């Protein structure tokens, strides 16, 4: 079951976007403001609303830590805000001066993407607030953006209907027509999907558009095997253009909002419709799930934001309860370890770990020596471009030891032990 528990009606014009952190809800509007609410009782924070933009605010998003909020506007700027006091940290101007329609933080908070009405896309350094890279799409306005959970790539969607995939250096990896009449939104599921045959990890991507459709794609990317985007299925239910879509934090549900004024919640595993919500009186422009609790926010041109709460007995929650029983790493199966590796950005190690039958208990006993000796992981750090160049020249030996490499998989420069410790600190307090 799902029930409406609160309605926010503070904006003076259409609500364009809403976003959650672990403790806050942010909303933005055509009225040029951003508003912040506490999730404990949905009261507006003392320093809200945030006012700096001179025209409509189209999008807002939190950094993964929740300490920074980004907003972008028709005024051609992306503003970073301190969420604790509401003070602006930086005003970043789109080089072309074009209205900025979408912004999104990378999973590690180091970068921020902004996309504009003239098709330009900018990758900003989120620490220095400086422009890092800039690119553009061939046709249309950029209206949607989403980072893959591992941060290796991001996807943009245009008003002409193209999905474009970029790597972390702003190189265009792929572009294809996804929605005939234009894309309106896209979102990645944070939970990977495993390919049982090859041991590869994939991510689900949802896109929606003016063609009244929601499409599900499967995306994979490794530096060795390259990039792949595959269409999987189309979800039906709306009878008008779909303006927003978002996955739940556990990846079990997908929500969409439409010009037909309805909100539909799907089960991502069965593709069945779980709930159809019809509280809004005008177009539903935005929807978002909270990261830690089963709350859903939906915003509309009726100037309101509705907060919905899910009963713990939904089919999706029943399945996730089984997962909670495996919250302790020593109880993890080999598949659980594979899912965890992918969530840590260590996707390329999945195959090696499966070959060595590493379950949760084995994972906790790994040392630097066992990684090097038993799993044959080189263990040295190199500049990524230099190592990719080394491998591209058909060299199968370690540059440091000159020993033959059983695998040419490149992994990020962080040890598993650090990742395990970080996970334990977060989940076992």
């Amino acid at each position: 079951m799902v029930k409406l528990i609160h309605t926010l009606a503070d904006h003076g014009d259409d609500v364009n976007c809403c976003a959650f952190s672990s403790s806050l809800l942010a909303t933005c509007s055509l009225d040029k403001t951003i508003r912040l609410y506490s999730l404990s009782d949905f009261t507006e924070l003392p320093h809200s609303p945030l006012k700096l933009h001179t025209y409509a605010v189209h999008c807002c998003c939190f950094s993964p830590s929740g300490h920074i909020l980004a907003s972008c506007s028709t005024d051609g700027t992306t503003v970073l805000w301190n969420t604790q006091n509401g003070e602006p940290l930086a005003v970043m101007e789109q080089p072309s001066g074009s209205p900025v329609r979408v912004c999104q933080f990378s999973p590690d908070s180091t970068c921020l993407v902004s996309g504009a009405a003239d098709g330009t896309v900018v990758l900003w350094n989120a620490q220095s607030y400086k422009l890092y890279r800039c690119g553009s799409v061939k046709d249309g306005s950029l209206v949607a953006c989403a980072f893959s959970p591992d941060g290796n790539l991001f996807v943009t969607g245009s008003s002409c209907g193209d999905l474009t995939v970029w790597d972390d250096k702003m190189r265009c990896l792929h572009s294809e027509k996804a929605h005939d009449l234009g894309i309106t939104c896209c979102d990645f599921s944070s939970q990977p999907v495993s390919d049982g045959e090859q041991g590869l990890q994939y991510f689900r991507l949802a896109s929606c558009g003016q063609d009244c459709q929601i499409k599900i794609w499967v995306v994979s990317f490794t530096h060795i095997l390259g990039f792949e985007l595959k269409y999987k299925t189309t979800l039906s239910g709306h009878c008008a253009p779909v303006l927003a879509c978002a996955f739940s934090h556990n990846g079990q549900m997908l929500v969409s909002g439409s010009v037909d004024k309805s909100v539909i919640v799907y089960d991502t595993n069965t593709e069945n419709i779980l709930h159809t919500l019809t509280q809004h009186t005008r177009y539903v422009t935005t929807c978002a799930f909270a990261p830690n609790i089963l709350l859903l926010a939906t915003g509309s041109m009726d100037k309101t934001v509705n907060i919905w709460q899910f009963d713990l007995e939904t089919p999706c929650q029943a399945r996730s309860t089984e997962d909670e029983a495996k919250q302790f790493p020593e109880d993890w199966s080999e598949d659980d370890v594979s899912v965890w590796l992918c969530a840590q950005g260590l996707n390329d190690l999945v195959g090696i770990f499966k070959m060595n039958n590493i379950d949760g208990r084995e994972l906790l006993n790994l040392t630097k020596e066992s990684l090097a000796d038993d799993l044959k992981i080189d263990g040295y750090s190199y500049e990524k471009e230099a190592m990719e160049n080394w491998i591209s020249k058909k060299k199968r030996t370690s540059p440091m030891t000159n020993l033959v490499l059983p695998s040419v998989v490149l992994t990020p420069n962080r040890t598993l032990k650090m990742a395990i410790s970080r996970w334990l600190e977060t989940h076992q307090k």
Side-chain angles (χ1 to χ4, degrees):
M1 295 291 292
V2 60
K3 61 181 178 180
L4 179 65
I5 62 170
H6 204 89
T7 295
L8 303 171
D10 298 309
H11 282 296
D13 211 328
D14 301 359
V15 176
N16 285 331
C17 185
C18 57
F20 283 100
S21 72
S22 59
S23 60
L24 300 176
L25 169 67
T27 64
C28 64
S29 167
L30 284 182
D31 65 11
K32 311 176 189 177
T33 69
I34 305 103
R35 293 182 180 271
L36 292 174
Y37 302 89
S38 169
L39 293 190
S40 60
D41 55 7
F42 301 107
T43 57
E44 191 166 6
L45 299 190
H47 51 269
S48 176
L50 308 182
K51 297 180 179 180
L52 187 60
H53 290 293
T54 56
Y55 288 97
V57 185
H58 294 290
C59 182
C60 60
C61 63
F62 286 98
S63 65
S65 68
H67 296 155
I68 299 175
L69 178 74
S71 62
C72 59
S73 166
T74 300
D75 63 18
T77 68
T78 301
V79 178
L80 300 185
W81 308 84
N82 183 326
T83 58
Q84 295 178 324
N85 58 23
E87 293 296 319
L89 299 171
V91 178
M92 302 180 296
E93 297 182 2
Q94 200 77 2
S96 62
S98 180
V100 186
R101 301 297 303 275
V102 65
C103 57
Q104 187 71 39
F105 279 100
S106 64
D108 62 3
S109 296
T110 59
C111 297
L112 176 81
V113 166
S114 63
D118 64 353
T120 59
V121 55
V122 176
L123 191 61
W124 302 91
N125 184 313
Q127 274 75 50
S128 66
Y129 315 135
K130 303 294 185 183
L131 187 151
Y132 173 58
R133 297 284 172 91
C134 187
S136 64
V137 296
K138 293 180 180 179
D139 299 299
S141 300
L142 280 181
V143 294
C145 179
F147 270 94
S148 64
D150 57 13
N152 285 332
L153 54 85
F154 65 93
V155 174
T156 58
S158 80
S159 59
C160 286
D162 294 331
L163 272 180
T164 304
V165 185
W166 313 78
D167 69 8
D168 54 7
K169 293 183 180 178
M170 284 287 295
R171 292 177 294 208
C172 180
L173 302 177
H174 180 79
S175 185
E176 72 173 73
K177 183 73 72 176
H179 295 268
D180 289 337
L181 302 177
I183 292 172
T184 53
C185 189
C186 62
D187 189 40
F188 272 101
S189 169
S190 62
Q191 301 303 313
V193 180
S194 179
D195 179 346
E197 296 180 358
Q198 300 182 23
L200 297 176
Q201 296 289 324
Y202 300 89
F203 290 105
R204 289 192 184 103
L205 172 72
S207 64
C208 58
Q210 299 285 351
D211 56 6
C212 313
Q213 295 183 339
I214 304 163
K215 293 185 178 180
I216 306 298
W217 312 78
V218 178
V219 180
S220 66
F221 176 74
T222 65
H223 292 292
I224 302 302
L225 299 177
F227 165 82
E228 188 174 36
L229 173 70
K230 286 184 178 179
Y231 165 77
K232 182 183 178 185
T233 189
T234 296
L235 302 181
S236 59
H238 288 293
C239 60
V242 185
L243 303 182
C245 62
F247 282 99
S248 61
H249 187 62
N250 62 6
Q252 298 294 320
M253 291 184 285
L254 178 73
V255 63
S256 59
S258 169
V259 169
D260 63 17
K261 307 175 188 176
S262 73
V263 174
I264 296 180
V265 182
Y266 301 87
D267 183 319
T268 57
N269 293 294
T270 65
E271 300 176 10
N272 293 331
I273 294 177
L274 297 175
H275 309 283
T276 299
L277 313 175
T278 57
Q279 186 74 17
H280 287 294
T281 58
R282 296 193 65 196
Y283 300 174
V284 180
T285 54
T286 179
C287 48
F289 280 102
N292 300 325
I293 50 180
L294 278 178
L295 288 180
L296 168 69
T298 59
S300 167
M301 290 176 67
D302 63 15
K303 308 178 187 178
T304 69
V305 176
N306 286 331
I307 312 297
W308 307 84
Q309 186 174 53
F310 288 83
D311 192 313
L312 295 182
E313 295 304 316
T314 63
C316 294
Q317 184 65 20
R319 280 196 300 273
S320 65
T321 301
E322 299 175 3
D323 297 334
E324 289 297 320
K326 293 185 177 182
Q327 63 177 310
F328 299 105
E330 59 264 28
D331 297 327
W332 288 354
S333 66
E334 292 177 26
D335 288 338
D336 294 327
V337 171
S338 296
V339 170
W340 176 82
L341 283 170
C342 197
Q344 298 298 318
L346 298 167
N347 311 51
D348 293 332
L349 285 182
V350 170
I352 297 174
F353 273 57
K354 279 185 173 291
M355 288 172 55
N356 288 272
N357 305 115
I358 303 296
D359 59 13
R361 193 172 296 277
E362 290 287 335
L363 178 69
L364 292 175
N365 291 325
L366 288 178
T367 64
K368 183 177 180 180
E369 289 72 24
S370 62
L371 287 173
D373 298 337
D374 299 333
L375 299 187
K376 306 300 182 186
I377 296 174
D378 178 67
Y380 290 96
S381 298
Y382 308 96
E383 184 180 9
K384 186 170 70 174
E385 287 189 8
M387 196 59 191
E388 289 174 342
N389 185 52
W390 176 273
I391 293 172
S392 70
K393 294 179 179 177
K394 310 298 183 183
K395 296 184 179 181
R396 299 273 308 194
T397 58
S398 165
M400 288 293 291
T401 66
N402 207 34
L403 296 176
V404 175
L405 295 172
S407 170
V408 292
V409 169
L410 302 180
T411 59
N413 182 21
R414 44 185 163 172
T415 66
L416 285 171
K417 210 65 176 177
M418 288 174 62
I420 294 170
S421 298
R422 189 166 60 247
W423 192 95
L424 291 173
E425 288 173 2
T426 303
H427 292 79
Q428 296 186 352
K429 289 183 178 179

